[in-house]
Amino acid sequence: AQKVTQAQTEISVVEKEDVTLDCVYETRDTTYYLFWYKQPPSGELVFLIRRNSFDEQNEISGRYSWNFQKSTSSFNFTITASQVVDSAVYFCALFYTGTASKLTFGTGTRLQVTL
Amino acid sequence: KAGVTQTPRYLIKTRGQQVTLSCSPISGHRSVSWYQQTPGQGLQFLFEYFSETQRNKGNFPGRFSGRQFSNSRSEMNVSTLELGDSALYLCASSPGLEPYEQYFGPGTRLTVT
């Protein structure tokens, strides 16, 4: 079974703090893709990153960074020096290329950044 | 490039009615997927269309159906609406069948009373 677990339901931080959002996934496939999406209050899901199962390199994009570890089936997302505009719900998702390929989302983590 | 557009943005229907939601993908994108988002169940995959063919379907009853037209625009239909169908329905498009990133529209907020 394919499953994505985001154990943190809600996180509150003060602006400029660093914050890490956890994502643990389960799949029997050897080929799969992991995604992070941001859903601001407007409701539209915004793509942040895609990583395939063969690429364990960490990635940094500005204040965002991602740590992919196959050994622990985790794909964690860190925001450095958080800002109020980072307040949103963040979803981790797994795309597997089986007979019924589809995107399976975690339950999301609501991040609240305050001044 | 224009993003994914969904119409209508908000809809209020009565139990037992049916509803049709529309999605226009990004120009050049041939794959359209639909998701239902509710506070209780989160984001759940409904179905995916590519070149007018349904490729995959999620675990939803037959009251939920969809189609894709030759211009890649897609519609989803829900018949005999139930209170539990109240949700945000999101449409996403991607260039093709590979696991490209999906670009989401703003959603249609359906309220069933």
Side-chain angles (χ1 to χ4, degrees):
Chain A
Q2 322 291 336
K3 187 179 176 183
V4 177
T5 301
Q6 293 180 258
Q8 304 151 307
T9 306
E10 192 160 343
I11 300 175
S12 290
V13 299
V14 176
E15 201 175 43
K16 296 183 185 174
E17 284 185 10
D18 297 348
V19 58
T20 295
L21 309 182
D22 298 332
C23 172
V24 174
Y25 62 92
E26 292 176 33
T27 179
R28 292 180 182 173
D29 287 355
T30 55
T31 302
Y32 53 89
Y33 296 77
L34 294 162
F35 295 79
W36 275 96
Y37 282 88
K38 172 183 180 180
Q39 188 175 40
S42 61
E44 192 165 330
L45 282 159
V46 177
F47 165 79
L48 295 177
I49 190 172
R50 178 187 67 175
R51 174 67 74 228
N52 73 53
S53 52
F54 300 109
D55 181 3
E56 282 193 77
Q57 274 192 322
N58 292 333
E59 177 148 344
I60 298 175
S61 176
R63 296 184 296 105
Y64 295 170
S65 63
W66 290 269
N67 181 272
F68 177 28
Q69 291 194 328
K70 287 178 75 171
S71 60
T72 56
S73 297
S74 64
F75 186 42
N76 296 338
F77 172 32
T78 297
I79 301 175
T80 303
S82 59
Q83 299 177 1
V84 172
V85 293
D86 295 327
S87 297
V89 181
Y90 291 85
F91 292 93
C92 180
L94 168 69
F95 186 103
Y96 54 98
T97 57
T99 53
S101 57
K102 62 177 184 178
L103 201 56
T104 297
F105 285 88
T107 50
T109 297
R110 181 177 300 278
L111 174 65
Q112 185 72 38
V113 183
T114 56
L115 292 171
Chain B
K1 252 185 187 177
V4 178
T5 57
Q6 292 186 246
T7 56
R9 293 291 312 278
Y10 302 91
L11 206 48
I12 300 175
K13 289 286 188 178
T14 304
R15 249 185 321 179
Q17 288 185 315
Q18 77 164 24
V19 66
T20 298
L21 312 181
S22 180
C23 170
S24 291
I26 291 172
S27 177
H29 284 193
R30 297 170 63 192
S31 175
V32 173
S33 298
W34 288 89
Y35 296 84
Q36 181 197 65
Q37 186 177 25
T38 60
Q41 299 299 317
L43 273 156
Q44 291 187 288
F45 171 77
L46 277 159
F47 22 65
E48 178 195 7
Y49 288 89
F50 180 80
S51 292
E52 302 177 64
T53 301
Q54 186 182 89
R55 274 184 33 89
N56 292 303
K57 191 176 194 306
N59 191 24
F60 279 83
R63 299 184 297 106
F64 291 81
S65 63
R67 59 178 175 168
Q68 186 181 34
F69 302 95
S70 58
N71 62 358
S72 293
R73 192 177 69 84
S74 177
E75 289 181 347
M76 68 163 279
N77 183 277
V78 187
S79 62
T80 319
L81 283 166
E82 300 178 358
L83 295 178
D85 298 332
S86 295
L88 179 66
Y89 289 89
L90 292 162
C91 167
S93 79
S94 64
L97 292 177
E98 294 299 316
Y100 299 107
E101 52 268 30
Q102 295 187 358
Y103 295 88
F104 284 79
T108 294
R109 173 77 61 187
L110 171 66
T111 302
V112 181
T113 61

